[in-house]
Amino acid sequence: MIRSLKILALLASPLTLFSQQAEMPPRMESTNQPARFGPLRFREDSVTIIGEYKNFTGGPPFKVAVSEWISNNQATYSAPIDSNGHFRLTFPMPAPGEIHIDFGRASLWNVAIPGETMYLSADMNKIEGPKRGDTAAITAWKEHTATIFEGSNARLHNDIYRYWRHQAASSNQTGYGSRQWNEQFKLDAFCDTVHGIFRSRMQFLQDYHRRTPLEARALQFIETTLRYSNASVLTQRYYYVLWNDRVKHEKRYFATIDSIVRPVLTTGYLAMDYRTVLRDIHSHISTKALNLPGSNIDSLHNEYILHPVERSLTQAWLASIIQRQGHVLDDSMMTALRASVKEPYLIKQLTQRNDALKALQADNALLAGARLITEFPELKTSAEIYRHITAPYRGKVIYLDIWGTWCIPCREAMQHMPPVKEQYAGKDVVFLYLANRSPMEAWKNTIKQHRITGANVVHYNLPAAMQQLFEKDYLDEGFPTYMLIDKEGKLVTQKAPRPHHTAELITAINKLL
């Protein structure tokens, strides 16, 4: 499922510790049991990972994915790997939490603690797991340590890694299938099915812990992530449930979620899915408030979100969503926000983002030369709208993007467009944008923020009724939709390559030139 302003600047510097073998710290797996993770606390801090990939033969940079607290999006940080397989990466980490280390290559899942330095050594020849069903290979793979963590929290990280490796190689772990898989169940049966899978996974963890005792924090982290990953499957399903079924099964549905997450409520923040669960629950609350005349969203919110920290986080995320859509929070909104969000770190980040948006809004030079079209004749059919917006560019290939300031994937995709636009500067190609439900201020701020301007760029902000009419026939399943139109104005495809598939997009455009 991301992305917006980073909480802190990425800090990365060339690796120096591996220049001398003696500088690699000794293994530190203390036998003492550190205190378990406590309630959520923020601080301005970071985590550093220093590593070595043995048998490294080249490839993409080393990457770490974390969840940003202020945006509720996943952020990816990267650093180059030198010819000897050495790398060093420092990234912001204001609170302990789940991180995904170099997924797609090493594919490591672990936890990071603000202020720590993790030392990572991995053998690239031993990373990839065996095929399911190959018993001998699975046994050998589970017994071989392909990755070693060192440093002050070495036992914590190694225990998590070993459990993950053992779990990944086990053939008795039931997984969730596609959307089609979960939609085969009625909501009550779905609750029972997910809860059954959850119990199976928890039993697997308990059996493993009896055989191979885990450090207390490792056990706590693994249990928390298991609980919230299962809860998120439940909350995500709610988007596909009809309103009548929601009302009918609501009590049982939320009781199931509560039974899964309640034991780790105060440390749920350790899991990335924690934020997904909170977001989905708030989405349900908003829908319920709209469908129950006279209901109060705050009282409904308090009914489902019980912990003060969770309420504070939810309010911060809602403000962040408004900002992400290009809206500046006015003074009264900021005052109300400070009253409801008690965490100084979150308020500081929201204030900084708001100040940046104010500066962006005031900088009209960023729109100099931009073609922003907001006035249109009365057009009554989607065909008329299509002809009106494409006719001025007859003789050029058109790459049309249907997006919205509120759409996170739309905005993320825009980050990949600069090299594509530069590729076709001065050529017969135009990049045309149609904004859905995007107020003028937010629309302009987003265009400025993502630098979506240039001689070959045109922006349309159609009246809502006309935009809806056009989307009825031309929108491909959802936002964003990308269309390619040839030089004669003929629609070639409503499934054009997305901006991050740069090579495919360039090839597709070149075929039409």
Side-chain angles (χ1 to χ4, degrees):
M1 293 187 282
I2 100 323
R3 292 182 172 181
S4 58
L5 299 175
K6 295 287 187 281
I7 300 175
L8 297 170
L10 171 62
L11 303 173
S13 57
L15 181 67
T16 57
L17 288 182
F18 281 103
S19 59
Q20 297 180 17
Q21 187 65 30
E23 291 187 78
M24 181 63 181
R27 181 82 58 80
M28 290 182 285
E29 287 206 31
S30 60
T31 57
N32 67 318
Q33 286 280 359
R36 288 165 61 88
F37 292 109
L40 178 62
R41 295 289 184 273
F42 289 106
R43 73 188 199 205
E44 298 278 359
D45 216 328
S46 61
V47 166
T48 296
I49 300 179
I50 300 174
E52 177 183 29
Y53 279 166
K54 299 174 182 178
N55 298 305
F56 180 70
T57 57
F62 175 78
K63 296 180 180 179
V64 173
V66 301
S67 285
E68 291 186 320
W69 282 100
I70 199 62
S71 67
N72 199 21
N73 295 328
Q74 192 175 93
T76 300
Y77 303 97
S78 64
I81 305 173
D82 70 18
S83 58
N84 294 315
H86 299 157
F87 52 88
R88 178 190 183 110
L89 175 64
T90 299
F91 53 93
M93 199 76 189
E98 181 179 350
I99 61 172
H100 294 170
I101 302 173
D102 215 15
F103 260 50
R105 179 166 43 201
S107 296
L108 304 176
W109 157 74
N110 221 290
V111 68
I113 301 171
E116 75 168 324
T117 297
M118 302 164 62
Y119 297 90
L120 168 64
S121 176
D123 185 344
M124 291 294 97
N125 288 342
K126 302 294 183 180
I127 286 292
E128 187 175 352
K131 294 181 179 179
R132 192 176 294 275
D134 188 342
T135 306
I138 290 173
T139 300
W141 190 74
K142 283 194 291 188
E143 293 176 352
H144 180 86
T145 302
T147 303
I148 296 173
F149 289 94
E150 302 188 30
S152 57
N153 292 308
R155 184 184 173 193
L156 166 68
H157 300 310
N158 284 319
D159 276 4
I160 293 169
Y161 163 71
R162 291 165 188 152
Y163 172 81
W164 167 83
R165 191 174 174 85
H166 187 85
Q167 184 272 332
S170 299
S171 58
N172 65 340
Q173 285 291 284
T174 305
Y176 297 105
S178 62
R179 174 176 168 181
Q180 288 71 30
W181 175 86
N182 67 55
E183 286 187 341
Q184 69 182 293
F185 303 100
K186 296 290 187 181
L187 187 57
D188 54 350
F190 185 72
C191 289
D192 291 341
T193 301
V194 172
H195 202 267
I197 293 174
F198 164 69
R199 288 195 302 269
S200 172
R201 290 178 172 178
M202 288 299 293
Q203 185 63 54
F204 183 89
L205 172 60
Q206 292 167 13
D207 293 343
Y208 179 91
H209 181 52
R210 277 195 294 269
R211 296 191 306 271
T212 311
L214 294 160
E215 194 226 68
R217 293 178 301 171
L219 179 62
Q220 184 184 17
F221 169 72
I222 294 169
E223 179 183 348
T224 298
T225 54
L226 285 177
R227 287 182 180 277
Y228 274 93
S229 64
N230 282 267
S232 70
V233 171
L234 283 167
T235 61
Q236 286 284 288
R237 170 64 189 274
Y238 221 65
Y239 291 108
Y240 310 114
V241 179
L242 296 176
W243 174 252
N244 288 341
D245 289 335
R246 293 186 189 188
V247 173
K248 182 178 179 181
H249 300 289
E250 181 179 82
K251 185 174 181 179
R252 181 180 180 186
Y253 174 80
F254 280 97
T256 303
I257 295 172
D258 186 69
S259 70
I260 292 175
V261 303
R262 182 61 52 186
V264 293
L265 183 64
T266 56
T267 55
Y269 64 87
L270 293 169
M272 283 188 181
D273 284 320
Y274 170 77
R275 278 152 276 199
T276 300
V277 169
L278 284 186
R279 181 200 65 199
D280 293 346
I281 289 176
H282 190 276
S283 178
H284 160 70
I285 293 166
S286 300
T287 303
K288 184 175 181 179
L290 290 172
N291 284 274
L292 294 176
S295 62
N296 181 281
I297 191 168
D298 290 331
S299 62
L300 288 174
H301 191 197
N302 292 340
E303 180 182 342
Y304 291 100
I305 307 295
L306 303 178
H307 198 277
V309 173
E310 292 186 345
R311 293 177 186 170
S312 184
L313 282 170
T314 304
Q315 292 301 319
W317 291 336
L318 291 174
S320 174
I321 289 171
I322 295 172
Q323 291 177 327
R324 194 166 60 237
Q325 293 172 0
H327 296 284
V328 175
L329 302 178
D330 62 29
D331 292 343
S332 63
M333 295 173 72
M334 288 301 298
T335 299
L337 195 60
R338 291 187 182 95
S340 61
V341 179
K342 304 300 183 182
E343 175 53 55
Y345 174 85
L346 297 177
I347 288 295
K348 180 180 177 181
Q349 298 302 317
L350 289 167
T351 301
Q352 289 176 346
R353 290 183 59 165
N354 214 48
D355 290 343
L357 279 170
K358 286 180 180 179
L360 198 66
Q361 185 172 313
D363 191 353
N364 292 320
L366 293 173
L367 291 181
R371 287 188 282 176
L372 310 180
I373 302 174
T374 59
E375 295 184 2
F376 304 89
E378 186 177 353
L379 304 170
K380 296 183 178 180
T381 68
S382 60
E384 288 179 353
I385 298 169
Y386 178 90
R387 286 193 296 270
H388 180 81
I389 63 177
T390 61
Y393 316 106
R394 195 65 53 86
K396 296 179 182 289
V397 176
I398 299 173
Y399 184 61
L400 193 153
D401 179 346
I402 305 177
W403 69 291
T405 57
W406 49 268
C407 168
I408 296 173
C410 302
R411 296 166 66 99
E412 288 177 347
M414 290 171 177
Q415 300 171 19
H416 301 277
M417 283 305 294
V420 180
K421 290 189 293 183
E422 291 171 11
Q423 173 91 4
Y424 295 104
K427 298 183 180 179
D428 290 334
V429 178
V430 64
F431 299 91
L432 197 156
Y433 292 84
L434 268 68
N436 168 284
R437 290 186 289 114
S438 298
M440 198 64 62
E441 173 195 297
W443 180 57
K444 290 181 178 180
N445 279 348
T446 302
I447 293 169
K448 293 176 185 178
Q449 188 176 42
H450 294 280
R451 303 297 196 270
I452 323 168
T453 58
N456 56 354
V457 177
V458 183
H459 288 275
Y460 286 96
N461 201 327
L462 291 161
M466 286 172 56
Q467 179 75 20
Q468 185 177 11
L469 191 62
F470 183 83
E471 290 172 359
K472 183 178 180 181
D473 289 332
Y474 291 100
L475 193 67
D476 178 49
E477 295 184 356
F479 298 89
T481 285
Y482 300 99
M483 299 162 56
L484 269 174
I485 299 165
D486 68 17
K487 291 184 175 183
E488 285 70 46
K490 178 183 177 182
L491 175 60
V492 176
T493 179
Q494 291 166 256
K495 298 178 181 290
R498 292 174 176 257
H500 64 279
H501 296 141
T502 306
E504 293 178 29
L505 177 55
I506 289 174
T507 298
I509 292 174
N510 286 343
K511 287 181 180 179
L512 301 176
L513 282 175

